[in-house]
Amino acid sequence: MLLTLLLRLLILLKFMLLKRKKRLLRLLRVMRPALLPNRKQKKKFSFMSGKDLYRVLSGFFFERNRYVAEDTYLIAGLGNPGQNYENTRHNVGFQIVDAIARQVNEYLELTKWEAQYCRVALWGGRLFFVKPQSFMNLSGKSIARFADYFKISPENILIIHDDIDMSPGRLKLVTGGGPGGHNGIRSIIQCLGTKDFFRLKYGVGRPGQDGVHSGIPVDRYVLGALSGEEQDQVDKRMPFLLDGVEAFVKSGSQKAMNIINSVK
């Protein structure tokens, strides 16, 4: 009995040393019957059951929500929903994630948290292919819900999107950094609370640069339809994109970068 009491006092001391004041107060309130004599029977002690003690202490020793599904990946393409935006430059992320899913015989037919998605066991991991349906500047809400519910860490999140500061057809896989003027990425950073996720950028060019149409406002340009030549370019990049995403899951980000960033 004395050893048990001493053990419990040592546990309390540990929490004091860790300066977890709020948790310590909660623990004292719950364990008070186990540590103090029963006033009605002064010579006896009233102890908690072992099961109850374990349940209480487990919540204090271990931080909640520490579990992360290391083999789960979120592959998301960004765009705007609706037929009016299909095959536009701003929706190239949608087009790419759809094409990758089709290559592995999957289709984004399920809906959850304002997103279309599919789930598949592939390349040694569990993958979620996702297309947020809440318009570009609110994309982060769906991404954050998937990441939180399925315990997907930021380093296992890959966002595919257009980039006007890269020449048409250029590919680049990066991690971290700011949104670069992309409202979808800005929303994801805000909702995830971190910049440390991966972005696979597909260059669509900026009006007036690299031979791209001049005299067109940027917003009209990105919401314009891909030309036949631009669509052919997307199709030619698909084998590299598929290989890059596969490498991202199977071998890690560095191997994926070697594949994606070497495409000219």
Side-chain angles (χ1 to χ4, degrees):
M1 183 180 296
L2 290 176
L3 288 175
T4 303
L5 183 59
L6 180 60
L7 177 61
R8 291 174 180 176
L9 290 173
L10 288 174
I11 291 171
L12 293 179
L13 179 60
K14 176 178 179 178
F15 284 105
M16 291 175 67
L17 293 174
L18 292 175
K19 297 182 180 180
R20 296 185 176 183
K21 295 181 181 179
K22 291 184 179 180
R23 290 190 174 192
L24 178 60
L25 291 174
R26 287 170 54 198
L27 185 61
L28 282 171
R29 283 198 298 269
V30 176
M31 293 185 61
R32 184 177 180 182
L35 295 174
L36 299 178
N38 188 318
R39 292 183 178 180
K40 293 183 179 179
Q41 299 177 350
K42 294 184 179 181
K43 294 184 179 180
K44 294 183 179 181
F45 286 83
S46 175
F47 290 100
M48 299 172 67
S49 69
K51 183 177 180 180
D52 289 340
L53 182 62
Y54 174 80
R55 177 179 56 80
V56 172
L57 292 181
S58 62
F60 292 93
F61 274 120
F62 304 103
E63 297 288 345
R64 295 184 179 182
N65 298 325
R66 288 182 62 184
Y67 171 74
V68 174
E70 295 181 355
D71 63 342
T72 304
Y73 295 82
L74 174 60
I75 313 297
L78 300 188
N80 288 307
Q83 292 183 349
N84 291 338
Y85 299 100
E86 286 183 3
N87 300 320
T88 62
R89 297 179 182 91
H90 216 24
N91 272 37
V92 72
F94 273 10
Q95 185 178 156
I96 291 172
V97 80
D98 273 332
I100 292 174
R102 285 197 302 271
Q103 289 293 318
V104 295
N105 299 315
E106 293 291 337
Y107 297 87
L108 283 71
E109 298 176 331
L110 303 175
T111 58
K112 184 190 288 287
W113 300 315
E114 294 186 271
Q116 295 177 352
Y117 78 102
C118 66
R119 176 170 54 187
V120 58
L122 186 68
W123 302 322
R126 183 174 64 155
L127 276 64
F128 289 88
F129 291 106
V130 177
K131 294 192 305 182
Q133 299 294 297
S134 52
F135 287 96
M136 185 70 80
N137 60 351
L138 298 174
S139 299
K141 295 170 60 178
S142 298
I143 301 299
R145 291 294 300 274
F146 273 90
D148 181 64
Y149 187 83
F150 294 107
K151 308 302 179 191
I152 306 173
S153 62
E155 57 266 27
N156 284 7
I157 296 176
L158 176 61
I159 307 297
I160 305 172
H161 65 93
D162 62 299
D163 191 300
I164 62 172
D165 292 319
M166 290 167 45
S167 57
R170 172 85 186 280
L171 303 179
K172 191 173 185 180
L173 178 60
V174 299
T175 182
H182 197 288
N183 290 331
I185 296 298
R186 179 178 290 107
S187 174
I188 293 171
I189 291 173
Q190 291 174 347
C191 293
L192 287 180
T194 180
K195 301 176 182 179
D196 298 329
F197 55 90
F198 286 88
R199 306 101 185 263
L200 201 171
K201 303 179 180 183
Y202 185 95
V204 296
R206 181 183 288 273
Q209 297 180 8
D210 299 315
V212 176
H213 312 284
S214 60
I216 302 177
V218 170
D219 56 346
R220 278 184 53 199
Y221 173 73
V222 296
L223 294 178
L226 292 165
S227 66
E229 183 180 351
E230 289 172 314
Q231 185 60 60
D232 289 342
Q233 206 166 36
V234 174
D235 296 339
K236 290 178 181 178
R237 295 290 186 264
M238 282 311 306
F240 300 101
L241 291 164
L242 179 61
D243 289 346
V245 173
E246 180 180 355
F248 180 77
V249 175
K250 290 176 65 175
S251 307
S253 58
Q254 190 57 56
K255 178 68 177 295
M257 286 180 179
N258 292 341
I259 294 173
I260 295 295
N261 297 346
S262 64
V263 178
K264 303 299 182 182

